[in-house]
Structures are given as C-alpha cells and as structure tokens.
Amino acid sequence: MNKSLKRMATMQRLQNTGLELFYAQGYYDTSIDDILKKLDLSKGAFYYHFESKEDFFIQIIENLLARKIYSTLIEPIEGHDNPLTLITKCFDDALETAVHNEMDYGCVLSNFLAEFNGKNDVVMRHLNEIVTVWEVNLVTALQKGKFNGYLDRHVDCEAASTFIMSSYFGVRVLMTSAAPSSKKYRFMSQIRQYFKSIEAKPVNF
Amino acid sequence: MNKSLKRMATMQRLQNTGLELFYAQGYYDTSIDDILKKLDLSKGAFYYHFESKEDFFIQIIENLLARKIYSTLIEPIEGHDNPLTLITKCFDDALETAVHNEMDYGCVLSNFLAEFNGKNDVVMRHLNEIVTVWEVNLVTALQKGKFNGYLDRHVDCEAASTFIMSSYFGVRVLMTSAAPSSKKYRFMSQIRQYFKSIEAKPVNF
DNA sequence: GGTAAATCCGACCATTTGGTCTTTTTATAT
DNA sequence: ATATAAAAAGACCAAATGGTCGGATTTACC
C-alpha cells in the first residue's frame, strides 16, 4: 500500500473506533488499550501517530465530530426556503437515526460537552467552537427567514436559536432512557407548535 | 459526640463532598481518595460506611439528588395556579442559581444521565426513576391546568412535558459554555413564547 | 538486493484505582 | 475503671492506565 495512504488508513481506523468507544463508554472510561484491542493494533502504533490520548481526542473532534455536525445539522438548514421547515426536517432526520440506535452526532456533542464541562478546558474549547458554529448558522438562517417573510417580525433570532439548540440537546438526553421513538414524536410535535408561534402571522384586513 | 449522630455526620459529609466532586469532575474521574483527602478521612472510614463506590453513588442519588430535584423542580409546580406560570417561575429560580455557578440539580441530573448512559445499568435505573417522577408530575400539573382552563383544550400534555424537560436539560448544557446569564434570558423568553402558544385561547364572540 | 525511513510491536514502567485487612482509637454501658 | 462494640486509620494488594522505548517489520526508492 502507498505509504501515506497506509498512514491515513491506520489513523482513520484509530479515530473511527476511538469515537465509537468514546461515545459508547465515555472518554475517561475508555482506555487506549480498549481501542487497540478492537483493531488488533499495538501501543507503538498509537503513539507513533498521536502524541497523547488528549491529542488523539482533539483530532477526533476536528476530523470527525465537527464535520459530521456540519453535514447533519448545519448544511441542511442552508438555503432560501423557510428555515423553520428546514430545521424541522433536519431534526426529524437526525432523531430518526438516533431512534435506530446509531450515532447521532448532536448527541455525541452534547454528551461530550457534559462530560468535559469543568474538567478539561482545552477539550472544552474545541467542543464549544462547534456549538458556536452551529449557533451562528442557526441565527443567520432565522434572520434570513425573517427577512424573507417566513418569521414574525418580532422574533428574537438569537433567543430562538438558543431555545432550539437547547431543546435538541435536551431531547437527546431523554431519548437515551426509554421509548426513544415516542419521545421523538412528542418532541417533534411540540417544536412544530413552537415554530408555528414564531412564524409570520397572516396580515389582518 | 453521640455515636449514631457521629455516624450520620460522617456519612453525610462523605455524601455531600462526593456529590460535589462527582458533579465537578464526573463519576469516573473522581477517585474515592479525592473525596477522602478533602475530608481528612481514611479508606477505612469510607468502607466502613459504604459497600463500594457504586453503592456510595446510588445512596447519593437517593439521599441528595432525588430530594433536591423534588424540592427545586417538582414541589414548586404543585398547586392550583396556572401551571405555566409556576413552571416559568420554577425554571427562572433554578437557572438563576445556575448562573451563579452553584449546583443546579437539574444540571447534575442531566450530566449524570449523559455520563452513565449505556455504561452502568444499575445507576441508570436510579437516575431514570427521578426523570420519570419529574415527568409524571409535569404531566399531572399540565392536565390539571387544562382541566382548570389554563391550557388550550388541544394540548398534548405528555408531548408538552417531554418538550419542556428537553429544553431545560438542553439549556443547562449550553449554559456551561459561555454567557450563562444571557443564555438564561434568551431561554426564558422563548419558553414563555412557547407557553403562550399552548395557553387557553380567549373565546371568540 | 540493499538501505534508510516509516510503521508497528510489545515488554516495561510509574502511577492510580477500587477494595481488603489488621490495628488503633473513640465512645458507651456497666 | 473496664469491657465492648463502633468508628477510623492506613499499610497493603491486584488490576488497570497512560505513556516510553528499543527493536522488529514493511515499504519506498535506488
């Protein structure tokens, strides 16, 4: 195999399995040996490619988490349509993968935020950056929606974004416990309700 | 000191400090020695009172977390007033303590839910029980509110509860990162907006 | 085929962890 | 005061963890 290809392959195998296990068991409860065992690799291989466990994790955040968040939660809400419709569709899709016990990266993000909060500033900075990017894009989308007449003129777009993000992070916590499918259904029905309350009101004659 | 009093005192000191550190650093990243060092106690003292770290933690959940959740998030919404008003006030109070960097037990709960999800079934059962109690009480409060004419007849109380809990858990995740005060303000403004959309509509003449 | 660099192996290390066990201290009852 | 049981001390242990290091393989290139 091509050398740089091999390097990439090993690094990516490590990162993919790393994210998988970190998500399933938590960062502090996942040892490097756990990851290596699953891949039939050795300590030497790991420390040849990564400086430390923390460096490894940060690269996972940058290379996997950030991109996935972008493609599942940010990119889908870009465009000139009604942002409320786009966000609804986007959440519906993301939660559907969550119902089927797959990795929902929104959940991955909020789990890590909870796990590292107050424990590791360096990691927190990287995680918060993703949150900020999401937030900025949400605000932009809502403002554009307001400009295009989809949202009520009085809507505070920053506040709406905070609320939308909150509810999404939160429902992922709830879905982990029981009856994720019904939780999803209930959540979606009420976020629609909320969206209805901030959409542009028909003009009175 | 009286003996049974002394026993209680030591156990409670351990549990209080335990919760404090578990919340600050996470369960898996907090060693028993950490707790003992902070209290100038020894391993012997700890294992005289508790069977294991897990047993210790479960007792913390039952003795501290559950009760605190009850007094801060459940009790305040009981009564015959408009439940939407009560919940608003309740969240406002809880988030205010959170802004001042104190322990907000709603956050403690959601952090632990995230940390133990998929890792420790026994602990998860205890945590989920608290969530269920909260949920049941929320649903009851909303249904009573509907019966008393505070909520619109068409509101799905289960769904509304799920949504309300979601948003609360979620905003706590967001508040950890930056500008908690402004996050709180934005969150409160939008949950009021949502509540307005499910309150009883004035009758048309 | 030989060579040098890239990649990987795995024994090893220091430290930390949850937990055990024997011993000592402390409080209570007689 | 002394016997007794509760409470606490702290040395100790086995397992696990993140990380190191010298050497063995692979790979690319001549």
Side-chain angles (χ1 to χ4, degrees):
Chain A
M1 201 193 300
N2 182 300
K3 240 187 192 168
S4 68
L5 272 187
K6 177 158 192 167
R7 178 183 182 85
M8 290 303 243
T10 305
M11 287 181 79
Q12 274 177 24
R13 258 160 36 97
L14 281 167
Q15 290 182 30
N16 285 327
T17 306
L19 178 56
E20 206 179 294
L21 292 187
F22 286 146
Y23 174 57
Q25 313 175 9
Y27 176 80
Y28 291 107
D29 205 32
T30 301
S31 70
I32 296 172
D33 277 331
D34 287 343
I35 301 164
L36 295 172
K37 207 176 295 169
K38 207 169 172 186
L39 291 174
D40 264 315
L41 280 174
S42 67
K43 275 276 173 69
F46 181 89
Y47 281 96
Y48 177 73
H49 292 292
F50 302 98
E51 274 183 17
S52 65
K53 190 184 181 185
E54 184 179 301
D55 167 64
F56 175 58
F57 187 68
I58 289 174
Q59 292 206 39
I60 288 180
I61 296 177
E62 298 302 323
N63 294 328
L64 296 179
L65 189 55
R67 293 174 196 202
K68 276 289 182 177
I69 292 282
Y70 191 85
S71 65
T72 60
L73 293 178
I74 296 179
E75 214 184 43
I77 65 170
E78 287 175 346
H80 294 282
D81 297 337
N82 186 340
L84 301 180
T85 311
L86 291 174
I87 296 169
T88 304
K89 175 77 166 61
C90 169
F91 279 4
D92 197 68
D93 289 344
L95 292 181
E96 193 53 32
T97 77
V99 167
H100 295 98
N101 282 323
E102 289 162 46
M103 252 196 285
D104 160 40
Y105 288 86
C107 178
V108 176
L109 177 58
S110 79
N111 273 16
F112 286 151
L113 281 169
E115 182 170 3
F116 285 99
N117 172 32
K119 286 154 224 165
N120 187 319
D121 289 342
V122 183
V123 171
M124 273 306 273
R125 261 202 300 281
H126 285 83
L127 293 173
N128 277 325
E129 205 182 320
I130 302 181
V131 175
T132 304
V133 173
W134 188 24
E135 189 175 15
V136 168
N137 279 274
L138 256 180
V139 172
T140 307
L142 291 181
Q143 281 173 337
K144 203 162 63 183
K146 186 150 90 173
F147 183 80
N148 290 333
Y150 291 114
L151 268 69
D152 189 274
R153 280 178 304 127
H154 307 93
V155 173
D156 177 344
C157 293
E158 277 90 3
S161 296
T162 300
F163 190 66
I164 292 167
M165 294 170 74
S166 292
S167 65
Y168 183 76
F169 277 147
V171 77
R172 295 300 297 112
V173 174
L174 285 183
M175 282 176 71
T176 56
S177 48
S181 175
S182 106
K183 290 270 162 57
K184 177 199 163 181
Y185 178 81
R186 293 173 177 180
F187 172 81
M188 289 306 300
S189 83
Q190 297 306 297
I191 198 134
R192 281 200 186 85
Q193 170 88 30
Y194 167 70
F195 282 169
K196 212 170 167 185
S197 83
I198 61 172
E199 75 183 2
K201 307 286 177 295
V203 189
N204 277 335
F205 288 95
Chain B
M1 202 191 304
N2 182 301
K3 243 189 189 164
S4 70
L5 272 187
K6 177 158 191 168
R7 179 183 182 86
M8 290 303 243
T10 306
M11 286 180 79
Q12 276 178 24
R13 259 161 34 97
L14 280 168
Q15 290 181 32
N16 285 329
T17 307
L19 178 56
E20 206 179 295
L21 292 187
F22 286 146
Y23 174 57
Q25 313 174 11
Y27 176 81
Y28 291 107
D29 204 33
T30 301
S31 70
I32 296 172
D33 277 330
D34 287 343
I35 300 165
L36 295 171
K37 207 175 294 169
K38 207 171 171 183
L39 292 173
D40 262 315
L41 280 173
S42 67
K43 276 275 172 71
F46 182 89
Y47 281 96
Y48 178 74
H49 292 290
F50 302 97
E51 275 184 16
S52 66
K53 189 184 182 186
E54 185 179 300
D55 167 63
F56 175 59
F57 187 67
I58 289 174
Q59 292 207 39
I60 288 180
I61 296 177
E62 298 302 323
N63 294 329
L64 297 179
L65 189 54
R67 291 173 198 205
K68 276 289 181 178
I69 292 281
Y70 191 85
S71 66
T72 59
L73 293 178
I74 295 179
E75 215 184 43
I77 65 168
E78 286 175 348
H80 294 282
D81 298 336
N82 185 341
L84 301 181
T85 312
L86 292 173
I87 296 170
T88 304
K89 176 77 166 60
C90 169
F91 278 4
D92 196 67
D93 290 343
L95 292 182
E96 194 52 33
T97 77
V99 167
H100 296 98
N101 282 323
E102 289 160 47
M103 252 198 279
D104 160 40
Y105 288 86
C107 178
V108 177
L109 177 58
S110 79
N111 273 16
F112 287 152
L113 280 169
E115 181 170 4
F116 285 101
N117 172 34
K119 285 153 226 167
N120 186 320
D121 289 341
V122 183
V123 170
M124 273 307 273
R125 262 202 300 280
H126 285 82
L127 292 173
N128 276 325
E129 206 182 318
I130 302 181
V131 176
T132 304
V133 173
W134 187 25
E135 188 175 14
V136 168
N137 279 274
L138 256 181
V139 172
T140 306
L142 291 180
Q143 282 173 338
K144 203 161 64 182
K146 187 150 89 175
F147 182 80
N148 291 332
Y150 293 114
L151 269 70
D152 190 273
R153 284 177 302 128
H154 307 94
V155 172
D156 177 344
C157 293
E158 277 89 3
S161 297
T162 300
F163 190 65
I164 292 167
M165 294 170 73
S166 292
S167 65
Y168 184 75
F169 277 147
V171 77
R172 294 299 296 112
V173 174
L174 285 184
M175 282 175 71
T176 57
S177 48
S181 175
S182 105
K183 290 271 161 58
K184 178 200 161 179
Y185 178 81
R186 292 173 177 178
F187 172 80
M188 290 305 302
S189 83
Q190 297 307 295
I191 198 134
R192 281 200 184 85
Q193 169 88 29
Y194 167 69
F195 282 167
K196 212 169 167 186
S197 83
I198 62 171
E199 76 182 0
K201 304 289 177 295
V203 189
N204 279 333
F205 289 93

